[in-house]
Amino acid sequence: MKKGHHRLEVMSHYYGKRIQQDMSNFVKWILLALLIGGVVGGASSLFAGCLSWVTQFRADRPAVVLLLPFGGLLIVFLYQKIGKEDRGTNQVLSTIRSQDEVPLRSAPLIFIATALTHLLGGSAGREGAAIQLGGSIGNQLGRWIHLDEEDRHVIVMCGMSAAFSAVFGTPMAAAVFAMEVVSVGVMYYAALLPCVVASLVAYDFAGSFGIHPENFHVTGIPAFSMENGIKMGIIAVGCGAVSIFFCLLLEYVSKGYDKWMKNPYLRVFAAGCLVVVLYWILGTDRYMGAGNQLIEQAVEHGQTQTFDFFWKMLLTALTMRAGFRGGEIVPSFAIGATFGCLAGQIMGFSPSLSAAAGMTAVFCGVTNCPVTSILIAFELFGFQGVSYYLLAVAVSYAVSGYYGLYKDQTIVYSKYKAKYVNRHTKT
C-alpha cells in the first residue's frame, strides 16, 4: 500500500514538473512573441510607410532617377564604413543555423539603403530589408534578454515573421515563411506558436498605422477541368523555368560585376548610370521600384506588355547585384505576374488567373517555399482559384530544381525522392 502511494507521489511530482515546465515555456514564448510583434511591427510599419512616401515622391518627380548613380555611391559608402561584414538576408538565415550572427546595425542600414534605392528608382523589392530588419532586432532582443542559443534562433524567426507580416500584410504566410525558408524539407515547428503570435501582432500593429494589405481581385476563374488543369500546368512549367533563369541572371550579373568592376564605388555608379539609360530608352517608369503597378495591371486587369517580365528581371539583376539594397521577392512577384499574364493570353486562358498563379509559382521557384507560396495565394487572391494555385505551386516547385535566391538556404530533403541530400541552393 505504501509502495503504491510512494509510486503515485513520484509520478505526480514527475508529471507535475513536466506540465509546469511546458506551461512556463508556453507563457515565455507568448510574452516574447508579443514583445517582438510590437517592436518589430512598429519598426516595420515605419519602414513600410517610409517606402510608400518615397515611392510617391519619385512618381511625382520622375527626374529624381538621374540621381540613382549618386545614391548608389552613398549606399556603398555607408556599408563600407559601417556594415562591411553585412551579408544581407543570407546572414539572417545563417544566424538561425548558428553559423553567423546578424548585428543590430543591419536594421538602420538596410532601412536607409532600401529607402534610398526606392526613392531614386532602383528596381528592388522590400522583403530583404524586412527580413534583415526583423532578424536583427529579434537577435539583439534575444541577447539583451540573455536567451540561450536555441531560443535566439526562434526569436530571430519571430522577428522575420513579424516584419514580413507588417510589410506585406500576409500574416499566415509570414508565420510559415520564417520556419520554411531556412532548411527546405524541415520545418522548425518549435517556432510555430511564437511566429504566429508575432506575425498577428505585427499585422494588427501595421493596420493601426494605416499600413493595409494589398488584395487583388482575380477575374475569369473557370471551373477546374482536365483541359484547364493541363493549361495551368504548362504555364507553371514556364514559371519554373523563369525562376531558374532569374536566379542564373542574378548570379551571372554578379560575376560580371566582380570580373569587370571590382571597385564597389565604380560598380554601383556604372550600374546606376546603366539603369538610368535603360529607363530612358524604354521610355517608362513601370520597372522602377518593386513593381507593384505591374502586378496590379496583370492580376486586376489581365494586361501586360510582351517583355515586361524580361525587363523587370534584367533591371532587378543590374540594380541588386551592383550594391543597391532592397530584395528580389517583390520583383519576382512582378516577374511571375507579368509572365503568367502573357502566357495566359497566348494560350487563351484567363490572363488574370494566370497572372495570380504565375506570381505565386515564380515566388515558389526562387524561394523553394511551397507552403508559404500557397498561403500567399490564399491571402492575396482568395480561395476561389485554389485548385489552380495549388497546381501552379506544385509544378513550379518541382521544375525549379535546386536553384534559389539565397545561397545559405539548405535543401535538406530531395525534391524528387524521399532522400536526405542536405545541399545548398544554386544561385
Side-chain angles (χ1 to χ4, degrees):
M1 191 73 164
K2 288 183 178 180
K3 286 184 178 180
H5 181 68
H6 177 69
R7 188 180 296 112
L8 184 62
E9 284 184 347
V10 171
M11 290 177 64
S12 176
H13 177 73
Y14 173 75
Y15 286 110
K17 190 174 181 180
R18 287 193 61 178
I19 292 170
Q20 184 180 13
Q21 186 178 15
D22 291 342
M23 289 304 298
S24 175
N25 280 324
F26 174 79
V27 172
K28 177 185 75 174
W29 280 117
I30 289 290
L31 294 176
L32 287 175
L34 290 171
L35 174 65
I36 289 291
V39 174
V40 176
S44 299
S45 298
L46 178 63
F47 173 67
C50 180
L51 287 190
S52 296
W53 183 85
V54 299
T55 299
Q56 188 59 51
F57 183 90
R58 186 193 70 234
D60 295 338
R61 300 165 180 82
V64 77
V65 72
L66 297 173
L67 298 176
L68 182 63
F70 302 97
L73 291 176
L74 178 57
I75 291 170
V76 170
F77 174 79
L78 289 172
Y79 274 88
Q80 288 287 315
K81 295 299 181 182
I82 306 172
K84 202 165 187 178
E85 304 303 318
D86 188 280
R87 296 194 301 111
T89 303
N90 284 301
Q91 192 170 28
V92 181
L93 303 187
S94 292
T95 299
I96 295 172
R97 290 203 301 269
S98 303
Q99 295 174 346
D100 206 340
E101 187 160 329
V102 56
L104 181 61
R105 63 176 177 271
S106 291
L109 267 178
I110 195 65
F111 189 118
I112 295 168
T114 301
L116 195 56
T117 299
H118 280 250
L119 172 65
L120 302 178
S123 179
R126 57 188 185 269
E127 87 297 328
I131 291 171
Q132 291 176 65
L133 191 69
S136 61
I137 293 174
N139 185 63
Q140 189 60 45
L141 286 174
R143 292 178 64 85
W144 285 341
I145 301 169
H146 300 294
L147 296 179
D148 60 31
E149 187 175 302
E150 289 78 12
D151 283 351
R152 283 226 311 275
H153 299 169
V154 174
I155 206 168
V156 169
M157 285 188 272
C158 284
M160 291 171 63
S161 292
F164 197 105
S165 178
V167 171
F168 286 95
T170 53
M172 289 193 298
V176 173
F177 178 71
M179 299 187 293
E180 188 179 23
V181 70
V182 181
S183 301
V184 178
V186 174
M187 293 277 278
Y188 290 84
Y189 286 111
L192 179 61
L193 172 65
C195 281
V196 167
V197 173
S199 177
L200 292 172
V201 169
Y203 174 76
D204 187 62
F205 207 106
S208 67
F209 274 83
I211 309 298
H212 298 294
E214 296 181 55
N215 295 306
F216 300 94
H217 180 58
V218 182
T219 59
I221 302 177
F224 192 82
S225 65
M226 182 66 72
E227 180 184 353
N228 290 334
I230 291 172
K231 287 182 179 180
M232 180 53 68
I234 293 171
I235 293 170
V237 168
C239 290
V242 165
S243 68
I244 293 174
F245 182 71
F246 184 38
C247 292
L248 289 174
L249 182 61
L250 289 165
E251 177 65 12
Y252 284 120
V253 167
S254 181
K255 287 180 178 178
Y257 282 147
D258 290 340
K259 182 178 180 180
W260 301 108
M261 287 178 280
K262 295 183 184 296
N263 184 291
Y265 292 99
L266 174 62
R267 177 190 308 163
V268 78
F269 189 83
C273 290
L274 179 57
V275 169
V276 171
V277 169
L278 285 173
Y279 284 154
W280 178 75
I281 292 172
L282 294 169
T284 179
D285 64 352
R286 61 196 286 112
Y287 309 115
M288 293 181 183
N292 290 337
Q293 64 175 0
L294 294 173
I295 298 171
E296 184 177 353
Q297 286 182 355
V299 178
E300 294 273 357
H301 308 292
Q303 297 174 358
T304 188
Q305 295 181 12
T306 304
F307 295 105
D308 273 351
F309 78 95
F310 171 77
W311 289 120
K312 190 59 183 174
M313 268 197 293
L314 179 61
L315 288 164
T316 300
L318 292 173
T319 300
M320 290 302 300
R321 290 302 183 257
F324 294 95
R325 298 288 166 157
E328 298 91 353
I329 286 183
V330 181
S332 78
F333 284 163
I335 292 163
T338 50
F339 176 82
C341 184
L342 177 65
Q345 291 173 352
I346 292 171
M347 297 188 65
F349 194 64
S350 170
S352 174
L353 175 61
S354 298
M359 176 174 152
T360 52
V362 171
F363 171 80
C364 179
V366 299
T367 62
N368 298 295
C369 295
V371 178
T372 304
S373 302
I374 292 167
L375 292 175
I376 284 176
F378 293 164
E379 291 184 282
L380 293 183
F381 310 127
F383 293 90
Q384 190 176 354
V386 58
S387 300
Y388 295 105
Y389 306 141
L390 286 169
L391 179 61
V393 167
V395 171
S396 180
Y397 179 74
V399 170
S400 61
Y402 296 111
Y403 292 88
L405 292 176
Y406 311 122
K407 66 180 181 180
D408 282 357
Q409 184 183 50
T410 303
I411 307 290
V412 179
Y413 286 95
S414 169
K415 287 188 174 186
Y416 312 109
K417 290 185 177 181
K419 181 182 178 181
Y420 178 79
V421 293
N422 196 35
R423 57 186 292 181
H424 287 296
T425 53
K426 302 174 185 177
T427 56

